[in-house]
Amino acid sequence: MKLLIALVAMLALVEGSKKPNIIIMLMDDMGWGDLGVYGHHTKETPFLDKMAEEGMLFTDFYSAAPICSPSRAALMTGRLPIRNGFYTSNGHGHNAYTPQDMVGGINETEILIPQLLKTVGYRSKVIGKWHLGHREEFLPLNRGFDEFFGSGNCHFGRYNDIHTPNIPVYKNDRMVGRYFTNFTIQHGLSNLSQIFLQEGLDFIEQEVAADNPFFLYWTPDANHDPHYSSEMFNGKSIRGGYGDTVMEMDYCAGKIMEKLRELKVEDNTFVFFSSDNGAATYRGTGSGSNGPYLCGKHTTFEGGMREPGIAWWPGTIQPGTVSHQPGTLMDLFTTSLSIAGVDVPSDRIIDGQDLMPVLTNSSHTWERAIYYYRGNELYAARVGPHKVHYWLWTAHGNKEYHHIRCPGRYVPELMFHNLTNSTDNPVTINLDYDPGENYPNHNHNVIKLVNSYVEEHQRTMVPGWPSLDWCDHAVDNWAPKGCEDVNYCLPIPESNLHLCGWPN
């Protein structure tokens, strides 16, 4: 049976006129433990649970960073943020992202998924949160996408448009309004997710009707604080406002798969569901769940970087399968190219690996290293079930043992108020036996094994130019292209270029 499935998949790939469609659904701050299929007790995600039942569940799937922008840059390029430049050198081992005063964005020398898929006839659209730079040269239509509906930034606000402008929403390369004012978010209520859903459904219908292979990158940000949900879901979850957003994302994922079935293209469409980083547990009961894993967003503990991962491709992926093969968001770059029959760029190191052998045979595994970076420092690495912590940090602030990123948890050998170098005596964890990282050890055989991968990794590491170092209030979203169309251009202040400050 597995051989037959593999042969069907291979035949689909070689028939150039029937190149498979690709959909990546990337959530924002959704935790590993937020879905019923990963054990959440509320069981409020029936569509994603069914997706796993009909496809493949990854138990050990990772982001490439514990914060949004670098994680998304890694997905789009197949390369660690330290390679593609989505990190800061303003502070050792600090996280950074792309707020609206960020000058930089994704480096023009990086090659993104849609640019490569375009070479073999794919049409591509991104919907939701881009977060790889909001200035015109960094926006999606200048980086390979054919269509865009969403924002270059997260939906932070509400702002007064005097000291700080509200975040613009784009249709393709032109602003069509702003969050909070034109696209309202009020007391956790907004129809944005339904707008993003309809944009996705319309794109699928459009490209199927035109007989084009397509790539849809669907990445709404409702799970990110301040949370929002539509009237259909607002106040419905027993988990509160965050739970409402999880229920709505589940519904939207179900609607996208329902549309594929309606158009009879489900057997020719690869769909993958994941999240950009772990749940923001420092927000307490208003955040998501990382299941049994330690801490959350901003940290390199398992809760910060282990993500939900569900693959769905009827007729290619055997239903109800589970894979313990470690995977990363960067693998979606390489896997997408494999599915489309596009060669991986040979002029640079690509960190993502092809998951097709696993997708067509769930028992297929191979040994690889997973690298846990924060900014410009490698904090930890994993090989097999063995994780080694080289650098440790948990909190910032004035209280010595205020472990803000890990509320309710304290593991003495792992949690430090200040950035702590443990490279001379690394901490080891066996994630098979201790997934919650509760029992740190110093196993010298494990250290030797993991160090052998780390040393080779560091030997070939050439960091990219840091894109997240410089900020300037003048590059905020005062007057984006298209603002004149909606009579919503704001005066641009004088430039004040300065090094960005990153406390995390």
Side-chain angles (χ1 to χ4, degrees), residues 65-352:
I67 193 170
C68 41
S69 297
S71 174
R72 293 160 185 266
L75 187 162
M76 282 289 109
T77 64
R79 286 154 55 83
L80 286 162
I82 190 69
R83 292 196 210 276
N84 66 37
F86 244 64
Y87 69 96
T88 183
S89 61
N90 301 345
H92 180 210
H94 283 211
N95 282 322
Y97 67 105
T98 54
Q100 62 169 321
D101 63 347
M102 173 56 61
V103 173
I106 192 68
N107 195 304
E108 65 178 6
T109 62
E110 293 298 319
I111 306 173
L112 278 58
I113 295 174
Q115 293 172 295
L116 292 162
L117 294 182
K118 192 184 290 285
T119 65
V120 291
Y122 277 75
R123 292 256 310 158
S124 301
K125 182 168 186 171
V126 53
I127 298 170
K129 176 179 172 179
W130 174 236
H131 231 212
L132 300 188
H134 67 279
R135 302 175 74 192
E136 185 175 353
E137 62 265 36
F138 305 124
L139 288 174
L141 266 62
N142 291 318
R143 299 315 313 261
F145 282 94
D146 300 292
E147 297 185 29
F148 173 38
F149 188 91
S151 179
N153 304 97
C154 193
H155 65 280
F156 290 133
R158 176 173 189 151
Y159 300 119
N160 61 11
D161 284 335
I162 298 172
H163 300 104
T164 304
N166 281 297
I167 303 295
V169 175
Y170 287 86
K171 184 173 181 62
N172 296 326
D173 63 346
R174 303 187 73 81
M175 170 183 147
V176 292
R178 295 180 188 267
Y179 285 137
F180 291 94
T181 50
N182 308 103
F183 294 87
T184 59
I185 304 172
Q186 189 170 12
H187 304 301
L189 184 64
S190 176
N191 201 41
L192 273 164
S193 294
Q194 294 304 308
I195 295 172
F196 292 151
L197 171 60
Q198 194 58 53
E199 286 284 331
L201 299 179
D202 290 347
F203 177 72
I204 292 169
E205 283 195 348
Q206 167 189 298
E207 300 309 320
V208 170
D211 202 25
N212 294 323
F214 65 82
F215 169 49
L216 173 61
Y217 179 35
W218 194 77
T219 177
D221 64 353
N223 302 122
H224 193 295
D225 188 72
H227 311 131
Y228 62 80
S229 57
S230 67
E231 190 171 351
M232 190 188 329
F233 295 95
N234 198 258
K236 300 300 190 297
S237 171
I238 64 175
R239 301 175 63 186
Y242 177 82
D244 295 340
T245 71
V246 173
M247 290 179 70
E248 186 157 18
M249 293 302 97
D250 174 70
Y251 169 86
C252 291
K255 283 295 181 183
I256 287 172
M257 290 180 288
E258 179 183 293
K259 176 59 69 175
L260 298 172
R261 289 192 177 97
E262 175 191 319
L263 298 174
K264 303 187 187 311
V265 294
E266 73 273 21
D267 289 351
N268 197 42
T269 305
F270 169 69
V271 184
F272 200 94
F273 179 94
S274 192
S275 179
D276 60 353
N277 48 249
T281 49
Y282 52 87
R283 298 195 182 279
T285 57
S287 73
S289 167
N290 295 316
Y293 300 117
L294 185 63
C295 301
K297 181 179 179 179
H298 285 293
T299 78
T300 52
F301 300 114
E302 290 299 289
M305 293 180 62
R306 196 184 293 214
E307 313 303 334
I310 306 175
W312 186 84
W313 190 352
T316 297
I317 297 173
Q318 188 173 354
T321 47
V322 175
S323 175
H324 300 291
Q325 169 63 43
T328 78
L329 287 176
M330 296 177 291
D331 298 342
L332 299 182
F333 174 93
T334 310
T335 304
S336 296
L337 300 188
S338 174
I339 289 169
V342 178
D343 290 336
V344 173
S346 58
D347 64 340
R348 63 199 64 209
I349 292 176
I350 299 295
D351 296 293

Side-chain angles (χ1 to χ4, degrees), residues 344-373:
V344 173
S346 58
D347 64 340
R348 63 199 64 209
I349 292 176
I350 299 295
D351 296 293
Q353 300 184 14
D354 185 5
L355 294 177
M356 278 305 297
V358 179
L359 295 172
T360 56
N361 179 2
S362 61
S363 64
H364 183 88
T365 60
W366 67 92
E367 189 169 86
R368 68 183 297 188
I370 301 294
Y371 298 107
Y372 303 70
Y373 274 89

Side-chain angles (χ1 to χ4, degrees), residues 161-165 178 473-480 483 488-494:
D161 284 335
I162 298 172
H163 300 104
T164 304
R178 295 180 188 267
H473 196 38
V475 306
D476 284 17
N477 293 287
W478 302 105
C483 65
Y488 204 163
C489 301
L490 302 169
I492 301 172
E494 290 186 9

Side-chain angles (χ1 to χ4, degrees), residues 27-95:
M27 301 299 102
D28 197 354
D29 288 7
M30 182 179 282
W32 186 96
D34 276 327
L35 309 184
V37 71
Y38 283 106
H40 201 279
H41 67 280
T42 59
K43 305 299 181 186
E44 291 180 337
T45 54
F47 297 104
L48 289 167
D49 296 348
K50 185 178 181 183
M51 180 184 180
E53 183 182 314
E54 296 175 347
M56 178 177 289
L57 183 77
F58 284 84
T59 59
D60 297 57
F61 197 79
Y62 290 88
S63 64
I67 193 170
C68 41
S69 297
S71 174
R72 293 160 185 266
L75 187 162
M76 282 289 109
T77 64
R79 286 154 55 83
L80 286 162
I82 190 69
R83 292 196 210 276
N84 66 37
F86 244 64
Y87 69 96
T88 183
S89 61
N90 301 345
H92 180 210
H94 283 211
N95 282 322

